């Protein structure tokens, strides 16, 4: 076999592997058309992760369809309550309930309690546009006063504006201004 044929086969093989890896990655993570709806904050897990009881059945069904049957995503759905676990976009508060207890901090517990007092049991508006690595919907959320929770966390020094996975698709300017 000539070196040219070997090189062509190698390029085709690498291309096929890249395509297969991309397909696998997008089946776990991947954006979808923004889903917006209302619900109540059933539980504040920590400062950046929540369980939302979605008000509208149509909205809940859109989440279900967007999950594409992916088990990593479906484990965060509860059809009995039309609830879904969401991760707040572009923020990362200190840990408070991590399974590795050594990662939990007093600051994380304080922020979690502050957010819980602010949100738990209250209505919110969510705008979700991606799936995170662990299968949670990546969303923005409003607070009872109508302000954006992520922006509030950044303004109050509870989190930086995290852009390592991309900028916020809807609130980039606001989050940048809150960081300054």
């Amino acid at each position: 076999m000539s070196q040219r044929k070997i090189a062509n086969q190698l390029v085709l093989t690498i291309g096929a592997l890249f395509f297969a890896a991309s397909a696998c990655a997008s089946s776990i993570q991947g954006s979808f058309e923004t889903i917006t709806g209302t619900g109540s904050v059933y539980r504040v897990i920590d400062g950046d992760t929540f369980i939302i009881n979605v008000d509208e059945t149509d909205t809940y069904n859109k989440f279900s369809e967007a999950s594409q049957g992916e088990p990593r995503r479906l484990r965060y759905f509860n059809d009995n309550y039309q609830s879904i676990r969401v991760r707040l976009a572009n923020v990362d508060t200190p840990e408070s309930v991590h399974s590795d207890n050594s990662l939990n901090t007093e600051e994380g517990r304080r922020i979690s309690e502050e957010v819980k007092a602010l949100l738990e049991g209250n209505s919110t508006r969510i705008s979700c546009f991606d799936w995170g690595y662990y299968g949670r919907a990546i969303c923005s959320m409003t607070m009872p006063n109508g302000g954006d929770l992520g922006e509030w966390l950044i303004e109050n020094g509870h989190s930086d504006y995290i852009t390592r996975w991309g900028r916020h698709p809807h609130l980039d300017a606001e989050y940048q201004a809150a960081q300054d």
Side-chain angles (χ1 to χ4, degrees):
M1 190 179 269
S2 74
Q3 285 186 332
R4 185 178 188 134
K5 283 185 179 180
I6 291 172
N8 285 342
Q9 276 190 323
L10 184 60
V11 167
L12 288 173
T13 302
I14 291 171
L17 288 172
F18 178 76
F19 178 77
S22 297
C24 288
S26 68
S27 72
I28 294 172
Q29 268 185 292
S31 61
F32 50 87
E33 189 171 324
T34 300
I35 299 172
T36 302
T38 59
S40 60
V41 180
Y42 171 72
R43 182 170 171 222
V44 173
I45 295 170
D46 67 9
D48 54 29
T49 307
F50 310 89
I51 297 176
I52 307 296
N53 291 343
V54 179
D55 290 337
E56 305 91 5
T57 300
D58 287 348
T59 302
Y60 183 76
N61 290 339
K62 286 179 185 178
F63 280 112
S64 184
E65 290 168 19
S67 75
Q68 301 175 334
E70 171 62 46
R72 212 172 200 180
R73 297 172 184 160
L74 290 176
R75 69 183 173 166
Y76 295 121
F77 285 75
N78 185 326
D79 293 339
N80 293 328
Y81 300 99
Q82 285 191 173
S83 68
I84 183 170
R85 187 178 298 195
V86 302
R87 173 68 164 75
L88 205 56
N90 296 94
V91 299
D92 189 19
T93 60
E95 297 295 338
S96 63
V97 293
H98 197 280
S99 58
D100 179 351
N101 207 28
S102 69
L103 298 175
N104 296 325
T105 67
E106 189 54 43
E107 181 185 17
R109 284 187 275 283
R110 183 183 53 74
I111 293 167
S112 181
E113 287 302 316
E114 192 172 343
V115 172
K116 187 179 287 190
L118 189 65
L119 291 177
E120 207 163 76
N122 287 310
S123 294
T124 188
R125 182 162 193 77
I126 55 175
S127 181
C128 307
F129 51 85
D130 203 353
W131 296 108
Y133 177 78
Y134 295 105
R136 298 169 293 190
I138 304 297
C139 309
S140 294
M141 290 176 57
T142 60
M143 300 182 300
N145 69 5
D148 181 77
L149 178 61
E151 185 177 359
W152 181 84
L153 287 168
I154 296 166
E155 277 178 352
N156 287 283
H158 300 317
S159 174
D160 290 330
Y161 177 28
I162 307 298
T163 59
R164 114 186 77 194
W165 295 284
R167 298 190 170 282
H168 195 293
H170 309 293
L171 299 169
D172 180 56
E174 291 86 341
Y175 281 24
Q176 284 186 51
Q179 181 83 27
D180 295 335

